[in-house]
Amino acid sequence: MTARAASTVLVGRQPELAGLREALGRARAGDPVTVLVGGEAGVGKTRLLEEFGAHATGAGARLLIGQCLELGEAGLPFAPFAAALRDVLRHDGPAAFAGYEAEFARLLPELARVPAGAAAPTGLPVSDTPRGYLFDLVADLFRRIAEERPLVLLIEDLHWADRSTRDLIGFLVRAARATRLLLVCTYRTDELHRGHPLRPFLAELDRARGVDRIELGRLDRDGTAAILADLLGAEPAARAVDDVHGRTQGNPFFIEELAAAGDPVGCAVLPETLRDLLLARVDRLPEPAQRVLRMAAAGGTRFAHQLLAEVAGLPEAELEDALRAAVAGQLVVADPDGDYEFRHALFREAVHDDLLPGEHARLHARYAAAIEAQPYLVAAGRAPAEIAHHWYAAHDHPRALIAARAAAAAAADRYAYAEQSRLLERVLELWELVPDAGERLGMDHLRVLEETLAAATTAGDYNRALTLTRAGLAEVDTAAEPLRAAGLLHRRGRLLALLGKSDGTAEVSEAYRLATGVPDTPERVRLLADIAAHLVKIDPGQAAAVADEAMAAAEAVGEDVALLPTRIALICRTDQAPDLGLSELRRAEALARATGNAPALVSALVYLSDVLYELGRYAESEEAAEAGVSEARRVGISRSTGAYLLSNRAEALIALGRWDEADAACAEAARIDPPGVSGLHWLQLRAGLRLARAHPAADELVGRALAFLARPYLWPNHRLPLRELRIEAALAADDKVAALAASRAALADERLVDLPREAWPVLSAVARAAALVGDAALAAEASAVAAVLPARYPAELAHAAQVTAILTGVEFDADAPGAPAEHSGAAVERRSGRAERPGAALPAWRAAVAQWRAVGQPYPLGRALLALAEAAAAAGERDEVAGAVREAAEIATRLGAAPLGEQAATLARRVGLRGAGRPGPDLLTSREQEVLRLVAEGHSNSRIAERLFISPKTASVHVSRIIAKLDVTNRVEAAALAHRLGLLDPTPPATPAQRRGR
């Protein structure tokens, strides 16, 4: 993947941009304003000014830009003002300086028609010119320009400004008080060492009236992700974002450099150009300071003074002098606690990578020994990990092995499972380098594999965990240790299912077989419960049998079943109603809290929030999920079990109509980046949300979600919502062919009738597709499924009512094979092979709206209200149309569902409503209604002209106006819409001949 060299989007600077716009508004009103914009190199000051400059120009302001040069006090005086005046000369001509060419030639030599840098005609150098007079002339010029339109003067890199430039800026700010002038200056905060001349100058300006300061900070993680997405043209992986953000700390320039050099978004080593740029700052330090900086780099981005003193072994005065130089050089910053930190992580990385090999090993060994002797030299709880890191970097393999194992145990105690997994991976790596590793650690290699597998699984690194199961199964002696082998097999089967590679049945079945002949122990009980929980989505009958066996074994060994993290409670859902399973989950939750079993509590809250949602108790579901999110975060399992809680919370928030909060929950899930199919739920929810809002990124998210359908295996409760999403995406794109294909694929799903919760939304989408194209066969299939699909809970009942209403109102070819019985026979009027039932669906849609209103989900209620309005229009119930359209429009506005709002506005126009659903004049004139009736009867323009005694051209004009007013694309759609909305007078209009005969 190739990245662009620079980002084209402005990310995370909306408050600063708003501040500049507000300043421009004050300047436009006659109040001169100066804005000082500070920030470290590469943080985006120029990019901000580019965006603001474009806004200012678009708002009618005059824009002048000047740049200070990196030449210091010996450089060209007034360089930025010369550049700005050169722009005035280029656009306004010499007339702008009329009468004062000689004076302005001090700043702009070309005015005197002499080469740049030559002496002015008077022979006076710039430094001998009466400065006050020159400053007055510049200020007056700016005042005259600003009289025509507001003037924005941008001066960049003020840290390089010479004294003359600073003096002129100070004059403009304090003395000139030119009206309608906005002066914006940028400077680098990391260049302002203690003796820098800009420091006192900025302090003076701060005391002047009308001077504002803006400090640009580094971007947060989301800002880094946005820049990477723009550079790469696609959304990067969450871990790639974490890597780049951690190294760049949100500096946009560094992000761009790494993205351009990375594969695809980061690189193991710094690009040479960036390394040279960073080390150039280091090379300006005195040699003693450089040496101490190299020692500090081995200790990490942040280091304590006392620890560095132990490692350096230098006299205190010498060490402090070196650190003072590093601080003055803006490479290191000190904090009030007495610690130090590299100003930027990439400075530390560049210095550390520049160490010689022997120097590298020696320094890290010193750090390891110092921390082992005095653990308090590092942050509390960090000593084991720091010691392991430094012994490893020092290439002392035996010590690194023992330290890594100890650090892994300490990480597990802190719920830092990702760190534990990395440390155990290091133990596995070092095992091969230390001959007596087993004796040193007191454990066999398989035990290390099992611990690493458990840590990787808990941390959510499922791909690595799957690889470890293969390695473990290759080592285990199945005959001697069948339960150990069964545990590895079960883990492998579960991981295969979580990654969508297979259903894991073969592995889990073999695990059960191995566990069958083993005596009852707590380990066997937990394994049986795990197997039952896995089987519940594949074979509920077998799952229940294994669960019964687990419960019996638990009683035999005294294992408390309720504390098995909701495994048995989950099994209860296979043969009990959710409201009965709810009591089991509440009991599991209470026991988990009472005993401090955090993993059990998180699992209980996952299923509890799920069951509450199914019962239509959305607020309680959201609360349970939110509590689970906090608990999962506390114990470090957000990326594994806790991943489902974020998506469960988002699902409940969507149902509650709190869409912005739901999107934020999905964004948090995206940052966590759950692996395998555990990351599908939030993705599918956010794709649907963005589809409903017509978000620009909707297509990308929909594509990413639907790509899961290509995996070898998906659990049915994951697969069916994707089938619904595929239909909805096709309908949103008005792709009838794709909608029909997706609908038929959904109806062919073998598990459709087994899962009412997921199946009813699918059937609703299928019915909508059938209605859109009038496909009788598809509607018949949907009706057949609906007839056997149970509907017990609120949303299911509402969907069932909606499917009934849709199919009642569908216009079929009544002779088509497979047409539903209720749409055939004498009850159906026939005309041109189409079934006409104006208003027949009105009672059904009233029932559907009532159901959705009781459920409390605003979005499907809004869609049902629009369908009700159509049915009411067809039945001539005009007041009901107005009320339904108004309410649907209000829902769309509240949710930000733009397509729903557009549909409400379109329907209002078609039926002659105006404003927020108030009845208005009819949409079509009487003559247009006559023409539309003839169009609906299938007449051509020529035939219409004959019937109405008008010219064919006039008939064509009427047809074009009708198509535009009804917001359709052709005559056929106009006729179909007229029938559906009851836009035609039931009595055929009289022909002119008939009217003449009356």
Side-chain angles (χ1 to χ4, degrees), residues 1-3 228 231-232 235-237 240 244 255 258-267:
M1 187 181 295
T2 302
L228 287 174
L231 292 171
L232 300 169
E235 188 171 341
V244 173
I255 296 170
L258 284 187
D263 184 20
V265 290
C267 50

Side-chain angles (χ1 to χ4, degrees), residues 740 744 769-781 810-813 816 820:
L740 289 177
R744 292 192 174 97
L772 180 67
V773 299
D775 190 306
L778 183 63
E781 291 182 54
V810 170
E811 291 187 357
F812 299 104
D813 178 346

Side-chain angles (χ1 to χ4, degrees), residues 730-747:
L731 291 174
D734 197 26
D735 188 338
K736 298 179 178 63
V737 174
L740 289 177
S743 296
R744 292 192 174 97
L747 291 178

Side-chain angles (χ1 to χ4, degrees), residues 595-660:
T595 57
N597 190 330
L601 176 59
V602 171
S603 292
L605 290 170
V606 169
Y607 292 111
L608 181 62
S609 60
D610 195 56
V611 170
L612 287 167
Y613 181 91
E614 188 163 9
L615 292 171
R617 294 158 64 170
Y618 305 125
E620 293 177 70
S621 174
E622 189 272 332
E623 290 172 3
E626 186 176 24
V629 167
S630 300
E631 187 66 18
R633 189 181 295 121
R634 184 182 71 84
V635 296
I637 55 176
S638 294
R639 225 177 151 252
S640 50
T641 310
Y644 296 102
L645 286 159
L646 280 170
S647 56
N648 280 4
R649 180 169 182 260
E651 187 175 34
L653 288 168
I654 290 172
L656 290 166
R658 293 156 58 182
W659 281 16
D660 289 340

Side-chain angles (χ1 to χ4, degrees), residues 765-921:
V766 170
R768 288 177 59 225
L772 180 67
V773 299
D775 190 306
L778 183 63
E781 291 182 54
S783 295
V785 175
V788 299
L789 190 65
R792 298 178 295 175
Y793 302 105
E796 296 172 8
L797 292 167
H799 275 296
Q802 181 167 296
V803 169
T804 298
I806 293 172
L807 296 180
T808 301
V810 170
E811 291 187 357
F812 299 104
D813 178 346
D815 296 319
E822 62 269 25
H823 291 279
S824 59
V828 179
E829 298 179 8
R830 301 168 186 266
R831 180 175 298 183
S832 302
R834 304 286 291 178
E836 292 186 16
R837 297 166 57 85
L842 183 56
W845 276 116
R846 285 171 177 161
V849 165
Q851 288 280 5
W852 280 120
R853 205 180 295 283
V855 168
Q857 292 192 34
Y859 184 61
L861 172 61
R863 297 172 82 169
L865 283 164
L866 280 187
L868 171 65
E870 286 197 4
E877 299 288 346
R878 192 172 185 79
D879 291 340
E880 192 167 7
V881 175
V885 169
R886 182 187 302 112
E887 187 178 357
E890 291 171 352
I891 290 172
T893 301
R894 187 168 73 251
L895 298 179
L900 180 64
E902 292 169 3
Q903 291 163 14
T906 299
L907 180 59
R909 289 196 304 273
R910 285 170 170 171
V911 298
L913 301 176
R914 63 168 185 258
R918 295 189 303 274

